[in-house]
Amino acid sequence: MAKKDQVVDIPEKDENISEIDVSDEMRGSFLEYAVSVIYARALPDARDGLKPVQRRIMFQMDQMGLRPDKGHVKSQRVVGEVMGKLHPHGDSAIYEALVRLAQPFNLRVPLVDGHGNFGSLDDGPAAARYTEARMAPAALDLVTGLDEDTVDFVPNYDNQFMQPDVLPAAFPQLLVNGASGIAVGMATNIAPHNLSETITGAIHLLDNPSASVTDLMRYIPGPDLPEGGVIVGLEGIKEAYETGRGAFKTRAKVQIERVTARKMGIVVTQLPYMVGPEKVIEKIKENANAGRLKGISSVQNFTDRVHGLRLVIEVKNGFVPEAVLQQLYQRTPLEDSFSINAVALVDGQPRTLGLKEMLQVFLDHRLDVTTRRSRFRLTKCEDRLHLVEGLLIAILDIDDVIAIIRSSDDAESARERLMTAFDLSEAQANYILELRLRRLTKFSRIELETERDELMATIASLREILENPKLLRKLVKKELREVSKRLGTPRRTLLMASTGTPVGATVAAEDAALAALPSVSRSGEGLELQIPDDPCVVVLSSSGALARVEGGEPLEPGPRAASDGWRVQLASTVRSQVAVVTQDGIAHRIEVVDLPALPRFETGLSLAGAMPSSMLLHTDVPAVGLLNPESEAIVAMGTAHGTVKRLRPDVLQRDEWEVITLEDGDHLVGFDQCTDDADLVFISSDAQLLRTPAAKVRPQGRTAGGMAGMKLNPGAVALGFWVIEAPIDAVVVTVAAALGALPGTGQTTVKVTPFECYPSKGRGGQGVRCQRFLRGEDRLDIAWVGTRPGRAAASDGTPVELPAEDERRDGSGVPITFAIAAIG
């Protein structure tokens, strides 16, 4: 090889050979390669969240008609079509991208519906010739609108076909499914998020462009990983949302239970993101054989497709399971870290994006897509209206039209004569010449006039959208809510503050084993968990989820309350116990430390990370209240049949016990602490409200069945029961439903009334009417009584604004804007 500046003698016959500097050539070639990797392979576009190969797969599957209602086809066929028409790289890269789009453990919302072995966290997929694929339902929302000029199209690698530069993307795909990729000199790694939460945050940003990251975190509290698990600590998440870079810890979801008659075990049901069970088992065996893990007798994998993940780690007798779990967190992938490096292409340039920037880029894209689609539809409607108007002119003088056509020598002559005789455009004349005679009936004229009126209305609506930015944003929000309703799923990953994580316990065995655990200590009465017994508030949300909130002060409604309000709160400490009372009258004892810890915000409280009570209690019976097993306070409860009971302190030393003996078909509808100065309130389904002093209900023992509280009309049931303590600062919220509608549907009007408007009555009466039904209404769907201000939420957690207070206790409600799922 010639050195730099060295002259090489070139024979005269080799006139096409030129001398170049090798270092310059290498520098230029490497730069071109780096740019190609960054822009065409490794980094996603911030608008649709897809890399080029993923976008080409989605587009080509749409072109092939592989929709969710069609049959699967061989994956090799999809790979071949993409490689032959759009993607200038090998089939292995295309198939790997296709497989990732179909893996439910990889993406929060899979975009490909795979049939066959698409791999697992421990094993790779089968070859493309053995698997089949088609588009998943969510993929349709990425490609819908491609035929309406919503995005630009660019040539493929050989200029024979056209492909979209970006997909319309009806949801924030970059945040929902995340992304990972390694380019030259840069990389990207974005965690998946919950689709409903992400859309709610995007709508909030659309309404409030100056919203801060803290505001957005009320709606998007953190990532939502496909396999669930637990995220420990919110500081790294907030840093990543603000700067685009940050890290957080993920833990497996575990529970300690008795696995045999004599042994306790650690049962793992969810693992950190992209961690497989075989990898965990391998690490456990490796550390146990090396003596770094103590107290484990065996590990068994009971994972299957029916029951999901289940790893059972048996703990040796004499060892505290919590201490063994702490070792597992330190030595195995049961605790892992995820580093966020949110790099994506914005206007063709790689940028590091925070949460607000990612949402803003998506919203700008959706506004542009909606504008272009509306403009396209407007043009189509105007063109069609032009033809319809010409056809109507022709039908009015159909005899003259036929005479002109019959007397013309050719089509060109007929076209010219029609344009002259009826003042038609060339397009209208051509359309009339191509018309079939059967369209010239009287009925067709009526259809055309109807179509003309509909087209004119549609054109007016589209022009209004294009001219009014508020209507454009309203349309975008409506479409986002529809996507959330159709594709949204509950949160899978629990979020816990760092102070709420289980830390080291101890081993009740040899001193050598105890010394191996640095985070344990011995007290005067034995060994105990090193979890700070800080004060907290246990909260039961209006949707039945449980959480503990840092700090011992009672929760107050903030100026911007959470989307899911609370039903009841109970002061406690982290290492105490509380009992959750369910509708079947059973109190379930739980550890407060097992609840997810939520921070307090200056602008209110977000319960997005709360844990559904069914996950803690292992029962599907909804929770209605909280009970402090150590308290001497009297509590009150009410049932759907109108029975009321005040319970004397009577707690059994067991995990579950009855608080009331219920009749067949009856269930609790309310449960709370109650003093003699409080008021007890029932609201029935036929809009009757009974307010009675608590002092008129004498306390009873645990097994008593209560006494008559509210007299119900035939067919009516009590919707709820509340305890209102003095001083009274409460409101009554009632929601009426349409005649014959199913429970939970058909809501029509809502009413908010000051509680003091309702008089106190004696126990056992019907009370007074709390809402006058309008025509077509026959019952209340939801009711709530509580401290001002009341907060309502839709089924997807979106806040619903309630009307102003109405002083008329039996007045009618105001029309409802969105269906209300919960009030708190």
Side-chain angles (χ1 to χ4, degrees):
M1 179 181 296
K3 297 181 179 179
K4 186 175 183 181
D5 299 332
Q6 180 178 350
V7 179
V8 180
D9 293 332
I10 303 175
E12 293 183 358
K13 61 181 180 180
D14 297 329
E15 296 177 354
N16 293 328
I17 299 176
S18 60
E19 180 182 356
I20 61 172
D21 190 323
V22 174
S23 60
D24 291 341
E25 176 64 22
M26 290 294 294
R27 189 179 296 109
S29 298
F30 183 78
L31 182 60
E32 291 179 5
Y33 167 74
V35 171
S36 174
V37 172
I38 291 172
Y39 293 98
R41 295 176 65 178
L43 297 185
D45 192 298
R47 294 171 292 178
D48 62 4
L50 297 174
K51 300 177 185 178
V53 63
Q54 297 170 330
R55 186 178 304 112
R56 289 161 183 162
I57 291 173
M58 291 289 96
F59 174 66
Q60 191 58 44
M61 292 182 77
D62 181 49
Q63 294 294 298
M64 296 170 65
L66 303 181
R67 296 179 171 267
D69 56 346
K70 303 296 182 181
H72 295 79
V73 301
K74 287 288 186 181
S75 300
Q76 188 67 64
R77 178 181 167 190
V78 178
V79 171
E81 289 285 332
V82 174
M83 182 173 61
K85 294 182 178 179
L86 303 176
H87 198 60
H89 299 285
D91 58 341
S92 60
I94 299 173
Y95 185 55
E96 288 175 5
L98 175 68
V99 166
R100 185 179 185 277
L101 294 174
Q103 291 175 333
F105 55 83
N106 209 323
L107 301 187
R108 185 61 178 80
V109 180
L111 303 178
V112 171
D113 178 13
H115 186 202
N117 178 15
F118 275 80
S120 67
L121 288 166
D122 296 309
D123 298 309
R129 60 184 179 272
Y130 298 121
T131 62
E132 298 178 341
R134 65 181 177 187
M135 300 176 75
L140 296 180
D141 292 283
L142 293 181
V143 300
T144 299
L146 280 175
D147 57 346
E148 295 183 299
D149 191 34
T150 53
V151 295
D152 293 331
F153 277 69
V154 295
N156 72 330
Y157 58 87
D158 60 359
N159 294 320
Q160 292 190 20
F161 300 97
M162 299 296 290
Q163 60 183 341
D165 182 52
V166 66
L167 296 184
F171 62 90
Q173 211 282 140
L174 182 63
L175 272 171
V176 171
N177 282 326
S180 63
I182 300 176
V184 179
M186 62 182 65
T188 186
N189 201 31
I190 303 173
H193 289 72
N194 185 273
L195 184 141
S196 296
E197 293 176 358
T198 306
I199 288 181
T200 304
I203 292 174
H204 178 74
L205 181 60
L206 190 60
D207 290 333
N208 304 274
S210 60
S212 64
V213 171
T214 303
D215 295 333
L216 294 175
M217 287 186 69
R218 292 172 52 241
Y219 304 95
I220 311 175
D224 187 22
L225 308 176
E227 291 294 285
V230 180
I231 292 179
V232 183
L234 304 179
E235 295 81 6
I237 295 174
K238 186 174 183 180
E239 180 184 359
Y241 285 171
E242 290 176 342
T243 65
R245 297 177 184 269
F248 58 87
K249 288 185 178 180
T250 60
R251 281 185 175 178
K253 183 183 176 185
V254 302
Q255 54 190 26
I256 297 172
E257 58 185 55
R258 188 169 295 280
V259 294
T260 67
R262 299 186 60 185
K263 281 192 176 182
M264 297 295 292
I266 300 171
V267 180
V268 182
T269 55
Q270 294 177 0
L271 287 172
Y273 186 44
M274 299 305 292
V275 173
E278 295 299 328
K279 182 179 179 181
V280 174
I281 294 173
E282 181 183 351
K283 280 292 183 181
I284 291 176
K285 292 180 178 179
E286 177 185 330
N287 284 279
N289 293 336
R292 293 188 290 267
L293 275 178
K294 301 180 183 297
I296 297 176
S297 60
S298 68
V299 183
Q300 301 178 67
N301 186 4
F302 295 102
T303 303
D304 58 33
R305 294 186 177 182
V306 177
H307 303 93
L309 175 70
R310 183 175 175 85
L311 283 181
V312 178
I313 304 171
E314 290 190 2
V315 179
K316 293 180 179 178
N317 292 332
F319 285 80
V320 177
E322 289 83 358
V324 178
L325 179 59
Q326 178 64 17
Q327 296 181 91
L328 290 170
Y329 283 148
Q330 295 174 353
R331 303 284 185 181
T332 70
L334 287 183
E335 180 177 278
D336 201 4
S337 62
F338 188 99
S339 297
I340 294 179
N341 183 26
V343 178
L345 297 177
V346 180
D347 296 329
Q349 300 295 322
R351 283 181 50 192
T352 301
L353 305 174
L355 175 63
K356 182 176 180 179
E357 288 79 11
M358 283 189 279
L359 289 176
Q360 191 61 59
V361 171
F362 166 75
L363 289 174
D364 292 342
H365 177 56
R366 279 308 297 174
L367 289 170
D368 180 62
V369 165
T370 308
T371 300
R372 294 181 59 165
R373 184 189 63 200
S374 300
R375 192 176 295 120
F376 176 84
R377 292 177 178 177
L378 177 61
T379 303
K380 294 285 287 186
C381 289
E382 289 175 340
D383 293 343
R384 177 59 185 170
L385 179 61
H386 183 63
L387 297 178
V388 170
E389 288 175 340
L391 194 54
L392 284 171
I393 293 174
I395 290 179
L396 289 175
D397 299 298
I398 190 61
D399 295 334
D400 294 341
V401 170
I402 295 175
I404 290 174
I405 295 175
R406 291 188 61 185
S407 62
S408 299
D409 296 332
D410 52 24
E412 182 65 30
S413 174
R415 184 185 306 110
E416 294 294 335
R417 293 177 65 189
L418 286 174
M419 292 170 60
T420 303
F422 298 102
D423 193 21
L424 300 176
S425 67
E426 183 176 352
Q428 290 174 323
N430 286 331
Y431 188 68
I432 293 172
L433 289 173
E434 296 171 359
L435 189 67
R436 294 185 178 181
L437 291 177
R438 65 181 183 182
R439 293 293 305 274
L440 303 180
T441 63
K442 180 178 179 181
F443 184 70
S444 295
R445 177 182 174 182
I446 296 175
E447 288 180 342
L448 288 171
E449 290 176 343
T450 303
E451 183 181 1
R452 178 195 59 192
D453 296 339
E454 293 175 351
L455 286 170
M456 294 178 67
T458 303
I459 289 171
S461 175
L462 291 171
R463 285 176 176 168
E464 194 174 3
I465 290 173
L466 291 171
E467 295 170 359
N468 190 338
K470 291 184 178 180
L471 289 179
L472 179 64
R473 290 195 296 270
K474 184 178 180 181
L475 177 59
V476 170
K477 288 190 292 184
K478 176 185 176 183
E479 293 176 350
L480 285 174
R481 289 193 179 101
E482 290 174 353
V483 173
S484 176
K485 183 178 180 180
R486 187 171 60 254
L487 300 179
T489 55
R491 166 171 280 274
R492 300 174 186 172
T493 302
L494 300 179
L495 302 176
M496 300 181 69
S498 56
T499 57
T501 57
V503 295
T506 63
V507 180
E510 301 86 2
D511 289 341
L514 179 63
L517 299 173
S519 59
V520 299
S521 62
R522 186 184 300 275
S523 65
E525 299 179 358
L527 305 173
E528 59 183 11
L529 296 175
Q530 296 301 295
I531 302 176
D533 198 18
D534 297 331
C536 64
V537 177
V538 180
V539 180
L540 174 65
S541 78
S542 55
S543 62
L546 291 162
R548 56 184 169 93
V549 182
E550 300 170 347
E553 300 81 11
L555 301 177
E556 297 291 340
R560 302 169 70 179
S563 58
D564 187 10
W566 66 80
R567 174 181 294 181
V568 65
Q569 54 176 305
L570 183 67
S572 184
T573 59
V574 174
R575 287 166 52 189
S576 298
Q577 294 179 331
V578 297
V580 181
V581 181
T582 50
Q583 287 186 356
D584 54 3
I586 304 297
H588 306 259
R589 190 190 301 268
I590 62 171
E591 300 287 340
V592 177
V593 72
D594 292 336
L595 301 178
L598 302 180
R600 293 176 185 246
F601 294 105
E602 295 181 358
T603 56
L605 172 68
S606 173
L607 296 178
M611 179 187 299
S613 59
S614 58
M615 298 176 64
L616 277 170
L617 309 181
H618 306 292
T619 177
D620 292 331
V621 182
V624 295
L626 299 173
L627 174 66
N628 185 354
E630 307 299 328
S631 175
E632 297 296 322
I634 294 176
V635 295
M637 64 200 81
T639 75
H641 290 177
T643 300
V644 64
K645 177 182 177 182
R646 294 180 72 202
L647 174 67
R648 293 195 301 265
D650 185 9
V651 176
L652 302 181
Q653 295 304 314
R654 60 176 69 163
D655 292 338
E656 297 179 359
W657 67 92
E658 278 189 340
V659 295
I660 185 174
T661 301
L662 295 171
E663 300 176 351
D664 292 341
D666 200 4
H667 65 271
L668 291 181
V669 294
F671 184 98
D672 206 349
Q673 297 185 34
C674 178
T675 64
D676 288 341
D677 297 330
D679 284 328
L680 308 180
V681 184
F682 278 99
I683 296 182
S684 65
S685 58
D686 57 352
Q688 294 293 121
L689 182 148
L690 175 67
R691 171 185 176 184
T692 187
K696 293 187 177 181
V697 181
R698 58 179 176 82
Q700 297 177 298
R702 180 180 54 81
T703 58
M707 58 187 70
M710 182 180 191
K711 183 179 179 181
L712 299 171
N713 292 318
V717 295
L719 289 180
F721 170 83
W722 298 268
V723 177
I724 305 300
E725 296 282 355
I728 297 173
D729 183 26
V731 292
V732 178
V733 182
T734 52
V735 181
L739 178 68
L742 295 175
T745 64
Q747 295 178 355
T748 52
T749 58
V750 59
K751 176 172 172 281
V752 181
T753 310
F755 179 68
E756 56 266 21
C757 294
Y758 296 95
S760 180
K761 300 286 185 179
R763 180 179 62 83
Q766 289 187 338
V768 297
R769 184 164 57 186
C770 58
Q771 181 170 346
R772 183 185 300 274
F773 290 143
L774 299 174
R775 179 177 297 179
E777 297 176 341
D778 69 337
R779 62 180 172 81
L780 292 182
D781 190 53
I782 299 177
W784 177 81
V785 183
T787 306
R788 289 183 174 93
R791 307 288 185 182
S795 58
D796 61 353
T798 304
V800 177
E801 185 176 355
L802 294 175
E805 295 183 9
D806 187 349
E807 298 288 342
R808 302 171 302 164
R809 72 185 189 202
D810 63 342
S812 56
V814 299
I816 200 165
T817 54
F818 294 98
I820 295 175
I823 310 174

